[in-house]
PDB file of all heavy atoms in Angstrom:
ATOM      1  N   GLY A 140      39.768  -4.379  13.954  1.00 82.00           N
ATOM      2  CA  GLY A 140      39.969  -5.165  12.744  1.00 82.00           C
ATOM      3  C   GLY A 140      38.674  -5.566  12.067  1.00 82.00           C
ATOM      4  O   GLY A 140      38.593  -6.623  11.429  1.00 82.00           O
ATOM      5  N   VAL A 141      37.627  -4.733  12.190  1.00 75.00           N
ATOM      6  CA  VAL A 141      36.336  -5.031  11.559  1.00 75.00           C
ATOM      7  C   VAL A 141      36.060  -3.975  10.501  1.00 75.00           C
ATOM      8  O   VAL A 141      36.602  -2.875  10.556  1.00 75.00           O
ATOM      9  CB  VAL A 141      35.191  -5.060  12.601  1.00 75.00           C
ATOM     10  CG1 VAL A 141      35.453  -6.109  13.652  1.00 75.00           C
ATOM     11  CG2 VAL A 141      35.007  -3.683  13.249  1.00 75.00           C
ATOM     12  N   PRO A 142      35.207  -4.310   9.518  1.00 66.00           N
ATOM     13  CA  PRO A 142      34.897  -3.325   8.467  1.00 66.00           C
ATOM     14  C   PRO A 142      34.224  -2.094   9.061  1.00 66.00           C
ATOM     15  O   PRO A 142      33.436  -2.190   9.999  1.00 66.00           O
ATOM     16  CB  PRO A 142      33.923  -4.078   7.542  1.00 66.00           C
ATOM     17  CG  PRO A 142      34.162  -5.517   7.832  1.00 66.00           C
ATOM     18  CD  PRO A 142      34.559  -5.600   9.265  1.00 66.00           C
ATOM     19  N   MET A 143      34.562  -0.944   8.493  1.00 69.00           N
ATOM     20  CA  MET A 143      33.959   0.301   8.951  1.00 69.00           C
ATOM     21  C   MET A 143      32.527   0.398   8.433  1.00 69.00           C
ATOM     22  O   MET A 143      32.291   0.217   7.253  1.00 69.00           O
ATOM     23  CB  MET A 143      34.772   1.480   8.422  1.00 69.00           C
ATOM     24  CG  MET A 143      34.182   2.838   8.748  1.00 69.00           C
ATOM     25  SD  MET A 143      34.068   3.138  10.515  1.00 69.00           S
ATOM     26  CE  MET A 143      32.636   4.206  10.580  1.00 69.00           C
ATOM     27  N   PRO A 144      31.546   0.632   9.325  1.00 66.00           N
ATOM     28  CA  PRO A 144      30.180   0.833   8.839  1.00 66.00           C
ATOM     29  C   PRO A 144      30.163   1.996   7.850  1.00 66.00           C
ATOM     30  O   PRO A 144      30.862   2.989   8.024  1.00 66.00           O
ATOM     31  CB  PRO A 144      29.401   1.206  10.107  1.00 66.00           C
ATOM     32  CG  PRO A 144      30.225   0.693  11.229  1.00 66.00           C
ATOM     33  CD  PRO A 144      31.649   0.767  10.776  1.00 66.00           C
ATOM     34  N   GLY A 145      29.392   1.847   6.821  1.00 72.00           N
ATOM     35  CA  GLY A 145      29.358   2.912   5.832  1.00 72.00           C
ATOM     36  C   GLY A 145      28.377   2.606   4.734  1.00 72.00           C
ATOM     37  O   GLY A 145      27.434   1.836   4.912  1.00 72.00           O
ATOM     38  N   VAL A 146      28.608   3.198   3.576  1.00 78.00           N
ATOM     39  CA  VAL A 146      27.716   3.024   2.441  1.00 78.00           C
ATOM     40  C   VAL A 146      27.735   1.552   2.018  1.00 78.00           C
ATOM     41  O   VAL A 146      28.795   0.959   1.854  1.00 78.00           O
ATOM     42  CB  VAL A 146      28.168   3.925   1.272  1.00 78.00           C
ATOM     43  CG1 VAL A 146      27.278   3.718   0.059  1.00 78.00           C
ATOM     44  CG2 VAL A 146      28.157   5.385   1.704  1.00 78.00           C
ATOM     45  N   PRO A 147      26.556   0.929   1.871  1.00 79.00           N
ATOM     46  CA  PRO A 147      26.518  -0.498   1.552  1.00 79.00           C
ATOM     47  C   PRO A 147      27.060  -0.805   0.154  1.00 79.00           C
ATOM     48  O   PRO A 147      27.008   0.044  -0.739  1.00 79.00           O
ATOM     49  CB  PRO A 147      25.017  -0.829   1.634  1.00 79.00           C
ATOM     50  CG  PRO A 147      24.326   0.474   1.411  1.00 79.00           C
ATOM     51  CD  PRO A 147      25.219   1.519   1.996  1.00 79.00           C
ATOM     52  N   ASP A 148      27.573  -2.023  -0.004  1.00 71.00           N
ATOM     53  CA  ASP A 148      28.006  -2.483  -1.320  1.00 71.00           C
ATOM     54  C   ASP A 148      26.783  -2.915  -2.118  1.00 71.00           C
ATOM     55  O   ASP A 148      25.920  -3.636  -1.605  1.00 71.00           O
ATOM     56  CB  ASP A 148      28.973  -3.668  -1.190  1.00 71.00           C
ATOM     57  CG  ASP A 148      30.313  -3.237  -0.612  1.00 71.00           C
ATOM     58  OD1 ASP A 148      30.716  -2.083  -0.878  1.00 71.00           O
ATOM     59  OD2 ASP A 148      30.946  -4.032   0.094  1.00 71.00           O
ATOM     60  N   SER A 149      26.709  -2.488  -3.344  1.00 79.00           N
ATOM     61  CA  SER A 149      25.579  -2.875  -4.190  1.00 79.00           C
ATOM     62  C   SER A 149      25.957  -2.669  -5.646  1.00 79.00           C
ATOM     63  O   SER A 149      26.607  -1.680  -5.988  1.00 79.00           O
ATOM     64  CB  SER A 149      24.335  -2.042  -3.855  1.00 79.00           C
ATOM     65  OG  SER A 149      23.279  -2.344  -4.732  1.00 79.00           O
ATOM     66  N   ASP A 150      25.536  -3.621  -6.478  1.00 80.00           N
ATOM     67  CA  ASP A 150      25.773  -3.476  -7.916  1.00 80.00           C
ATOM     68  C   ASP A 150      24.628  -2.731  -8.589  1.00 80.00           C
ATOM     69  O   ASP A 150      24.747  -2.289  -9.732  1.00 80.00           O
ATOM     70  CB  ASP A 150      25.937  -4.862  -8.576  1.00 80.00           C
ATOM     71  CG  ASP A 150      27.184  -5.579  -8.072  1.00 80.00           C
ATOM     72  OD1 ASP A 150      28.173  -4.884  -7.768  1.00 80.00           O
ATOM     73  OD2 ASP A 150      27.156  -6.815  -7.988  1.00 80.00           O
ATOM     74  N   GLU A 151      23.505  -2.615  -7.871  1.00 89.00           N
ATOM     75  CA  GLU A 151      22.328  -1.955  -8.420  1.00 89.00           C
ATOM     76  C   GLU A 151      22.098  -0.607  -7.736  1.00 89.00           C
ATOM     77  O   GLU A 151      22.351  -0.463  -6.547  1.00 89.00           O
ATOM     78  CB  GLU A 151      21.081  -2.842  -8.219  1.00 89.00           C
ATOM     79  CG  GLU A 151      21.147  -4.174  -8.947  1.00 89.00           C
ATOM     80  CD  GLU A 151      21.186  -4.009 -10.463  1.00 89.00           C
ATOM     81  OE1 GLU A 151      20.511  -3.073 -10.959  1.00 89.00           O
ATOM     82  OE2 GLU A 151      21.893  -4.774 -11.125  1.00 89.00           O
ATOM     83  N   PRO A 152      21.610   0.376  -8.470  1.00 93.00           N
ATOM     84  CA  PRO A 152      21.319   1.679  -7.854  1.00 93.00           C
ATOM     85  C   PRO A 152      20.278   1.554  -6.739  1.00 93.00           C
ATOM     86  O   PRO A 152      19.409   0.676  -6.792  1.00 93.00           O
ATOM     87  CB  PRO A 152      20.762   2.500  -9.031  1.00 93.00           C
ATOM     88  CG  PRO A 152      21.309   1.835 -10.253  1.00 93.00           C
ATOM     89  CD  PRO A 152      21.350   0.381  -9.923  1.00 93.00           C
ATOM     90  N   TYR A 153      20.363   2.417  -5.742  1.00 94.00           N
ATOM     91  CA  TYR A 153      19.476   2.331  -4.580  1.00 94.00           C
ATOM     92  C   TYR A 153      19.318   3.702  -3.932  1.00 94.00           C
ATOM     93  O   TYR A 153      20.031   4.656  -4.288  1.00 94.00           O
ATOM     94  CB  TYR A 153      20.041   1.345  -3.552  1.00 94.00           C
ATOM     95  CG  TYR A 153      21.426   1.707  -3.047  1.00 94.00           C
ATOM     96  CD1 TYR A 153      21.596   2.500  -1.916  1.00 94.00           C
ATOM     97  CD2 TYR A 153      22.568   1.254  -3.720  1.00 94.00           C
ATOM     98  CE1 TYR A 153      22.857   2.838  -1.462  1.00 94.00           C
ATOM     99  CE2 TYR A 153      23.837   1.592  -3.271  1.00 94.00           C
ATOM    100  CZ  TYR A 153      23.974   2.384  -2.151  1.00 94.00           C
ATOM    101  OH  TYR A 153      25.233   2.726  -1.710  1.00 94.00           O
ATOM    102  N   VAL A 154      18.372   3.774  -2.988  1.00 95.00           N
ATOM    103  CA  VAL A 154      18.191   4.979  -2.170  1.00 95.00           C
ATOM    104  C   VAL A 154      18.776   4.681  -0.794  1.00 95.00           C
ATOM    105  O   VAL A 154      18.371   3.715  -0.146  1.00 95.00           O
ATOM    106  CB  VAL A 154      16.706   5.375  -2.048  1.00 95.00           C
ATOM    107  CG1 VAL A 154      16.564   6.582  -1.121  1.00 95.00           C
ATOM    108  CG2 VAL A 154      16.122   5.700  -3.419  1.00 95.00           C
ATOM    109  N   LEU A 155      19.728   5.490  -0.361  1.00 93.00           N
ATOM    110  CA  LEU A 155      20.413   5.265   0.906  1.00 93.00           C
ATOM    111  C   LEU A 155      19.620   5.868   2.054  1.00 93.00           C
ATOM    112  O   LEU A 155      19.200   7.034   1.989  1.00 93.00           O
ATOM    113  CB  LEU A 155      21.803   5.895   0.846  1.00 93.00           C
ATOM    114  CG  LEU A 155      22.705   5.717   2.071  1.00 93.00           C
ATOM    115  CD1 LEU A 155      23.004   4.253   2.310  1.00 93.00           C
ATOM    116  CD2 LEU A 155      24.008   6.496   1.873  1.00 93.00           C
ATOM    117  N   VAL A 156      19.394   5.082   3.100  1.00 92.00           N
ATOM    118  CA  VAL A 156      18.651   5.534   4.275  1.00 92.00           C
ATOM    119  C   VAL A 156      19.556   5.387   5.497  1.00 92.00           C
ATOM    120  O   VAL A 156      20.197   4.346   5.683  1.00 92.00           O
ATOM    121  CB  VAL A 156      17.352   4.735   4.475  1.00 92.00           C
ATOM    122  CG1 VAL A 156      16.638   5.166   5.755  1.00 92.00           C
ATOM    123  CG2 VAL A 156      16.430   4.921   3.268  1.00 92.00           C
ATOM    124  N   ALA A 157      19.620   6.424   6.324  1.00 88.00           N
ATOM    125  CA  ALA A 157      20.504   6.394   7.494  1.00 88.00           C
ATOM    126  C   ALA A 157      19.951   7.284   8.588  1.00 88.00           C
ATOM    127  O   ALA A 157      19.111   8.153   8.342  1.00 88.00           O
ATOM    128  CB  ALA A 157      21.904   6.865   7.107  1.00 88.00           C
TER     129      ALA A 157
END
Side-chain angles (χ1 to χ4, degrees):
V141 300
M143 176 61 210
V146 178
D148 290 328
S149 176
D150 295 327
E151 297 296 324
Y153 59 91
V154 177
L155 182 62
V156 177

